[in-house]
Amino acid sequence: MTAKIIDGKLIAQQVREGVAAEVARRTAAGKPKPGLATVLVGDRPDSAAYVASKQKACHELGMESFHHHLPADATQEQVEDLVSQLNADPQVHGILVQLPMPAHIDEERVLRLVNIEKDVDGFSPLNIGRLAQKGREPLFVPCTPYGCIYLLEQAGVKIEGANAVVLGRSNIVGMPAALLLISRNATVTVCHSRTRDLPAIIRQADILIAAIGKAGMVRGDWIKPGAAVIDVGINSIPDATKKSGHRLVGDVNFEEALQVAGWLTPVPGGVGPMTIAMLMKNTLRAAELQDKSLLVV
Ligand code: NAP
């Protein structure tokens, strides 16, 4: 078997076009442009690059972006004051606090401060709690897991009734991905660093979402033939054939998985582009909720 490749770049582009069209419609109708505020504390080059690509996406889709950069030695109070100002600013519909922040900042306290109606990252305990409860809907779903489920749905993978394994239990990927799969009626097993006999558990999976940050750890013979494999991992490994001296790979051994899986996402070009596309979708949703006063918290 050769797996069908799920083209995240293409699907993300379609999501972005849909968002851009909706933004154009609402601005033509005299409604404000959706506005995303990004908060970067410190000078990590990777974080600066992520924030820059989010700002670029806002401009490309006709949305406003407001960037706030605080120095690495900013105090907890300065960061919290900034988030409070953004909460009160009607031009700001979504707030994205880029993580990780410098070690002296209590990230939890900062994230707790973001108004739930502006929590476009979907990380607030209120949004995650709503995702976990039957009959409740979060205002926003965290962008990367949202992208994973969207890819499965677009590929036509049947989630209802499927055995799904989520490898990794982080707050930003694994745990919300598991909750989303449950909400779509999959039977879900969550694995982590203390799980015994991972290969045996993963072999039961009709759907595998791998998010552990370990290059190529999931081998082809761990995968159930025909399974849908979503590889969230982004790992840099040395590669002397590249000018940069390295290349990005996922958590799944791609070449091996290709021979066994039914569907497979590449790295790069799979889940990666979906994260920003879903952030744009969430920011548009924030603007819609705020201008219609649809909030029920
Ligand atoms: P994380 O916070 O480091 O969590 C890693 C999870 O994997 C933890 O639950 C950990 O278990 C588990 N784990 C680690 N080593 C393991 C092992 N050998 N066996 C079984 N489980 C193991 O990572 P994350 O933030 O979720 O990110 C995971 C990967 O996704 C990274 O490569 C990251 O770069 C990538 N990522 C990609 C995107 C995207 O847009 N595509 C977005 C976010 C993250 P414990 O809980 O027991 O420690």
Side-chain angles (χ1 to χ4, degrees):
M1 169 174 293
T2 302
K4 291 189 199 104
I5 299 295
I6 304 178
D7 186 344
K9 219 168 145 187
L10 177 71
I11 296 172
Q13 185 53 33
Q14 290 164 351
V15 171
R16 289 163 70 121
E17 282 166 11
V19 171
E22 199 45 52
V23 169
R25 249 195 303 277
R26 56 175 282 126
T27 46
K31 291 178 179 166
K33 286 183 178 183
L36 175 69
T38 48
V39 176
L40 175 66
V41 185
D43 298 304
R44 278 180 65 123
D46 56 345
S47 293
Y50 290 139
V51 164
S53 54
K54 288 162 189 172
Q55 289 172 270
K56 184 165 167 264
C58 282
H59 295 135
E60 286 170 356
L61 273 51
M63 296 164 47
E64 294 284 3
S65 87
F66 309 96
H67 182 52
H68 297 269
H69 186 187
L70 295 179
D73 61 358
T75 63
Q76 180 81 26
E77 198 185 358
Q78 284 171 319
V79 180
E80 291 186 13
D81 282 351
L82 174 57
V83 171
S84 300
Q85 280 168 34
L86 297 173
N87 278 338
D89 184 342
Q91 280 187 292
V92 171
H93 299 99
I95 301 173
L96 183 133
V97 179
Q98 187 64 44
L99 302 179
M101 283 188 276
H104 67 280
I105 301 290
D106 181 342
E107 286 182 353
E108 269 312 305
R109 263 179 54 189
V110 175
L111 292 180
R112 264 207 311 270
L113 210 60
V114 175
N115 275 354
I116 184 175
E117 65 267 32
K118 298 192 178 187
D119 176 35
V120 286
D121 246 345
F123 292 158
S124 113
L126 277 172
N127 271 321
I128 296 289
R130 282 166 163 250
L131 186 58
Q133 289 179 327
K134 201 173 161 73
R136 290 226 164 114
E137 289 284 333
L139 293 180
F140 305 102
V141 174
C143 304
T144 301
Y146 189 9
C148 294
I149 301 299
Y150 196 87
L151 287 178
L152 287 168
E153 289 174 341
Q154 290 298 305
V157 175
K158 194 168 185 315
I159 300 178
E160 180 160 325
N163 280 337
V165 169
V166 179
L167 186 49
R169 57 175 166 180
S170 71
N171 286 346
I172 62 168
V173 190
M175 199 53 87
L179 294 171
L180 280 169
L181 287 164
I182 292 170
S183 74
R184 281 156 177 77
N185 297 317
T187 303
V188 180
T189 306
V190 179
C191 300
H192 44 76
S193 64
R194 320 292 157 82
T195 299
R196 275 187 245 139
D197 200 356
L198 273 179
I201 297 173
I202 291 175
R203 273 186 207 113
Q204 306 298 313
D206 304 308
I207 295 172
L208 170 66
I209 295 183
I212 48 174
K214 299 273 181 278
M217 192 176 118
V218 176
R219 307 302 304 260
D221 65 354
W222 298 15
I223 295 169
K224 180 176 175 179
V229 178
I230 304 291
D231 190 351
V232 185
I234 301 178
N235 310 288
S236 178
I237 59 164
D239 184 343
T241 69
K242 301 280 175 200
K243 221 161 89 184
S244 61
H246 69 268
R247 72 187 160 102
L248 296 181
V249 297
D251 291 340
V252 176
N253 183 313
F254 183 81
E255 298 306 330
E256 292 178 5
L258 199 57
Q259 306 307 314
V260 192
W263 294 265
L264 179 61
T265 59
V267 177
V271 176
M274 293 303 294
T275 298
I276 291 186
M278 295 335 241
L279 175 66
M280 296 298 110
K281 207 169 157 63
N282 277 351
T283 305
L284 169 62
R285 177 172 158 77
E288 288 172 346
L289 290 172
Q290 284 163 54
D291 58 32
K292 288 186 200 150
S293 299
L294 284 181
L295 294 173
V296 185
V297 179

